[in-house]
Amino acid sequence: MTYNINKAIEILAQTPETLKSFLGQLSEDWIYNNEGEHTWSPFDIIGHLIHGEKTDWINRLQIILSNLEDKTFEPFDRFAQFQASKGKTLHQLLNEFEFLRNNNLETLKQLNITEEQLQLKGIHPELGEVTLSQLLATWVTHDLGHIAQISRVMAKQYTSEVGPWVGYISILNT
């Protein structure tokens, strides 16, 4: 599928409600458990998504669309959520994510980005030159990847409990 901003917004707009519905009524065992050392729990992942809403997608989009000579993005701290989420509940995080996402989508819609603008470029600190279209497509796939990650983390809590079916449950073997 070729990138289409309206189709992208379909996914981006659904992510907060999807996560609220999926995680909002679960016990702490589901929310705070992870896959082992140096892995993330669903709680950590929501914090990571919040950090992205604050510092990544729209900020980088604005750099690309700006008249700045240097269009290099600030590096993204993939672990900022650990400090930023301290003392917060999952419900607080889900509400904050929803608020930030809604604001960012309003900003995106108001920009009325053209096909020509989608080809404008910025500089990623590790990847080099990227287009606005690539950045916005990454926003969508980033959401979907973390939704899948949350499902995997939760499923793996029952890896030993499924007994002989473990070989048939593909999510337990990734």
Side-chain angles (χ1 to χ4, degrees), residues 64-65 71 116-122 130-133:
I64 291 173
L65 294 178
K71 296 197 182 226
E116 293 78 31
Q117 288 174 311
L118 287 173
Q119 300 315 306
L120 295 175
K121 296 177 180 172
V130 297
T131 66
L132 179 56
S133 175

Side-chain angles (χ1 to χ4, degrees), residues 14-27 31 46 90-91 94-95 97-98 147 150 154:
Q14 290 300 310
T15 302
E17 189 59 38
T18 297
L19 293 171
K20 276 184 149 183
S21 176
F22 192 34
L23 301 172
Q25 301 301 315
L26 298 180
S27 65
I31 301 309
I46 302 303
L90 178 66
H91 291 286
L94 289 168
N95 288 334
F97 176 61
E98 180 178 46
I147 291 168
I150 289 169
M154 292 170 64

Side-chain angles (χ1 to χ4, degrees), residues 18-169:
T18 297
L19 293 171
K20 276 184 149 183
S21 176
F22 192 34
L23 301 172
Q25 301 301 315
L26 298 180
S27 65
E28 289 186 2
D29 286 340
W30 291 115
I31 301 309
Y32 296 108
N33 281 328
N34 57 37
E35 296 172 272
E37 190 176 357
H38 305 296
T39 65
W40 295 357
S41 69
F43 181 87
D44 300 329
I45 295 165
I46 302 303
H48 171 77
L49 290 169
I50 288 169
H51 185 65
E53 293 302 306
K54 290 179 175 179
T55 66
D56 195 344
W57 313 111
I58 295 298
N59 293 7
R60 290 176 173 189
L61 174 150
Q62 290 170 333
I63 290 169
I64 291 173
L65 294 178
S66 76
N67 292 324
L68 295 171
E69 218 171 282
D70 181 7
K71 296 197 182 226
T72 303
F73 306 152
E74 291 293 320
F76 181 74
D77 182 353
R78 293 180 50 241
F79 305 102
Q81 72 271 15
F82 294 112
Q83 184 62 37
S85 298
K86 280 187 179 174
K88 295 182 181 178
T89 67
L90 178 66
H91 291 286
Q92 288 172 316
L93 295 183
L94 289 168
N95 288 334
E96 182 178 4
F97 176 61
E98 180 178 46
F99 175 79
L100 293 168
R101 175 57 61 86
N102 289 340
N103 285 346
N104 284 343
L105 289 179
E106 276 307 307
T107 298
L108 180 62
K109 291 174 190 174
Q110 289 173 3
L111 289 171
N112 293 315
I113 294 172
T114 65
E115 288 297 319
E116 293 78 31
Q117 288 174 311
L118 287 173
Q119 300 315 306
L120 295 175
K121 296 177 180 172
I123 307 296
H124 187 281
E126 293 177 29
L127 306 174
E129 203 170 75
V130 297
T131 66
L132 179 56
S133 175
Q134 291 169 333
L135 172 72
L136 296 175
T138 301
W139 192 5
V140 173
T141 59
H142 182 263
D143 272 20
L144 294 170
H146 282 304
I147 291 168
Q149 180 185 18
I150 289 169
S151 296
R152 186 191 71 234
V153 169
M154 292 170 64
K156 286 196 174 183
Q157 301 309 308
Y158 275 5
T159 299
S160 62
E161 302 300 317
V162 300
W165 281 284
V166 71
Y168 292 104
I169 311 296

